[in-house]
Amino acid sequence: MKGRDYCVVPTVDPPGSASASPLSPSSPAAVPKKKMPQRKWEVHPGRNKFHCNGRIMMARQTGIFYFTVALIVVTCGLFFGFDCPYLAVNLTPAIPVIGIVLFVFTMSTLLRTSFSDPGVIPRATPDEAADIERQIEVPNGQPSPSYRPPPRQKEVVVNGQTIKLKYCFTCKIFRPPRASHCSICDNCVERFDHHCPWVGNCVGKRNYRYFYMFILSLALLCVFLFACVITHIIMRSQKANFLKAMQQSPASVLEAVVCFFSVWSILGLAGFHTYLTTSNQTTNEDIKGSWSSKRGRDNYNPYSQGGIVKNCFAVLCGPTTPSLLDRRGLVEPDPTPQQYTMQMNGTGVRLGNYGAIPTQTTTVQPPAQPQQGEEGDQTESRIWFTEDMKEKA
């Protein structure tokens, strides 16, 4: 009998067998724990804070926002507790109703401004960023570590006015018209107005109308409280002297001081944003003088609708655009490396991509001389190939 060549085919031990590997797929230790899918707000690259599973979006620095809320709530609470009962009985019961309506509307617009996406533009994907970076030429060959390419610009025409689109090196995108990068939140924001620490958020395309209504309603609330507090003190002083009237209602004095020092700045801010709304401008554009006639006779605001009423309707009554972030969407997992399993068929070994690699137990033994009557009784875990199938032992 001639010598036989052989090859060893690895076999997979059945689950529960004594020779099964402790790291076999049937073993509990080998079963990988499933990771909870991440939401996109959890991996957001900007400096923002999210609450309620991504439904609430704010800036990371929110200390002044909480001070704003506390100042409004405490002042109105003192008013409803000490001034309203007296004025409702001695003047008119409509005062508490007006105060409640103004307070609820002011707080609603404040929270709507603070908790919403101002219009953040998503950053470019790695493929998009790489494609744009390839267009940026590096002078003199090799770039130095401190080298920063000059800002690239594109030009578009909006209503006959040429607008330059600047390239954002942080977000790796060409910013659309009226957009700007907020250095505090580290995001590019559509129709960026400014970053307001008092509301704890940026003010942009998606929340400017709520910010303007908050400023306007806060100004009305402040004037209303100041007028009611002064009226309360004067009505009490008619029955007694002025000092005794202040002693009888010390909370009214505190409210009057807070409203007096707040009303001027709030009224000025409301008037300034009324001017911006009627001219369809942003704070950023007004400060930079983007549409000022000083830049040339042909320089004008291409976004103006041609009238005060039309501009107000365009800014305050236009449709609210959906958020571009998809904050609560699931993050797509990165593709895993190609994994293979070994499958045996009737002729040999075949590799297949099935996403898992079971543990194989391979036994290598030298060829044994078959005894008489045991020629066809071979071990199931080995496949014997005869060099010359026509010869017999």
Side-chain angles (χ1 to χ4, degrees):
M1 175 179 174
K2 294 184 179 181
R4 297 179 178 178
D5 295 334
Y6 68 97
C7 68
V8 179
V9 178
T11 60
V12 180
D13 293 333
S17 61
S19 60
S21 171
L23 296 179
S24 61
S26 60
S27 175
V31 179
K33 295 182 179 179
K34 293 183 179 180
K35 295 183 179 180
M36 296 296 294
Q38 282 187 314
R39 301 282 183 178
K40 292 183 179 180
W41 65 267
E42 297 179 284
V43 295
H44 179 66
R47 291 192 288 265
N48 294 94
K49 291 195 303 185
F50 296 87
H51 305 280
C52 299
N53 198 18
R55 292 178 176 88
I56 295 176
M57 178 180 181
M58 300 183 68
R60 191 169 296 179
Q61 301 172 357
T62 55
I64 302 180
F65 162 73
Y66 293 122
F67 174 76
T68 304
V69 173
L71 192 62
I72 296 174
V73 171
V74 171
T75 304
C76 292
L78 293 175
F79 172 74
F80 291 130
F82 294 92
D83 297 287
C84 274
Y86 183 89
L87 295 175
V89 173
N90 296 278
L91 190 60
T92 173
I95 289 181
V97 177
I98 298 175
I100 291 175
V101 171
L102 286 175
F103 172 73
V104 172
F105 187 80
T106 301
M107 291 302 300
S108 300
T109 52
L110 170 61
L111 298 180
R112 184 66 174 83
T113 305
S114 303
F115 293 164
S116 60
D117 171 19
V120 175
I121 304 172
R123 300 189 181 187
T125 62
D127 293 338
E128 295 171 344
D131 182 64
I132 296 178
E133 290 293 339
R134 281 194 295 266
Q135 303 175 13
I136 302 178
E137 297 179 359
V138 180
N140 301 326
Q142 298 295 329
S144 62
S146 60
Y147 169 75
R148 181 172 182 176
R152 295 177 58 87
Q153 294 181 348
K154 292 183 178 181
E155 292 185 351
V156 296
V157 178
V158 179
N159 294 330
Q161 184 77 9
T162 302
I163 308 296
K164 293 182 178 180
L165 308 182
K166 294 183 178 180
Y167 178 76
C168 180
F169 287 91
T170 302
C171 301
K172 306 295 183 183
I173 60 172
F174 282 96
R175 292 193 288 262
R178 314 188 85 178
S180 184
H181 190 89
C182 177
S183 59
I184 299 177
C185 294
D186 199 23
N187 296 312
C188 281
V189 181
E190 285 188 290
R191 200 185 181 276
F192 178 76
D193 191 88
H194 70 289
H195 181 91
C196 183
W198 298 97
V199 301
N201 203 350
C202 288
V203 179
K205 183 178 182 179
R206 299 190 68 252
N207 65 347
Y208 179 79
R209 68 185 63 186
Y210 304 106
F211 172 79
Y212 176 72
M213 289 188 288
F214 163 67
I215 293 297
L216 200 61
S217 61
L218 182 62
L220 294 176
L221 178 63
C222 195
V223 171
F224 175 77
L225 293 182
F226 185 70
C228 289
V229 168
I230 296 299
T231 303
H232 181 202
I233 295 177
I234 292 176
M235 292 180 65
R236 282 188 177 274
S237 63
Q238 291 177 351
K239 300 179 181 180
N241 56 36
F242 187 75
L243 292 178
K244 189 173 183 181
M246 291 191 298
Q247 292 177 356
Q248 292 176 350
S249 181
S252 300
V253 179
L254 179 60
E255 297 168 44
V257 172
V258 172
C259 292
F260 178 80
F261 287 103
S262 302
V263 69
W264 309 111
S265 59
I266 297 174
L267 285 175
L269 190 61
F272 173 69
H273 280 279
T274 300
Y275 155 73
L276 294 179
T277 301
T278 55
S279 59
N280 202 340
Q281 293 188 77
T282 65
T283 302
N284 188 45
E285 293 170 347
D286 184 74
I287 293 176
K288 293 181 178 180
S290 301
W291 318 124
S292 175
S293 59
K294 296 180 181 180
R295 293 195 173 190
R297 296 181 179 179
D298 297 333
N299 191 41
Y300 58 91
N301 183 7
Y303 304 102
S304 177
Q305 302 297 318
I308 295 177
V309 177
K310 291 183 178 180
N311 286 331
C312 291
F313 271 100
V315 175
L316 303 177
C317 303
T320 303
T321 57
S323 176
L324 301 177
L325 289 182
D326 187 23
R327 304 187 297 273
R328 303 189 67 248
L330 296 177
V331 178
E332 296 181 1
D334 296 332
T336 58
Q338 192 177 21
Q339 296 178 334
Y340 297 96
T341 57
M342 303 188 70
Q343 290 185 333
M344 290 185 300
N345 56 16
T347 57
V349 178
R350 180 165 56 95
L351 295 179
N353 181 14
Y354 296 95
I357 303 178
T359 303
Q360 291 90 10
T361 302
T362 305
T363 305
V364 180
Q365 295 181 1
Q369 295 295 333
Q371 299 180 1
Q372 187 177 3
E374 296 180 357
E375 181 84 22
D377 187 14
Q378 303 293 339
T379 307
E380 292 182 358
S381 64
R382 296 191 300 272
I383 301 175
W384 297 87
F385 295 92
T386 308
E387 183 181 12
D388 189 1
M389 298 298 296
K390 296 182 179 180
E391 297 184 1
K392 294 183 179 181

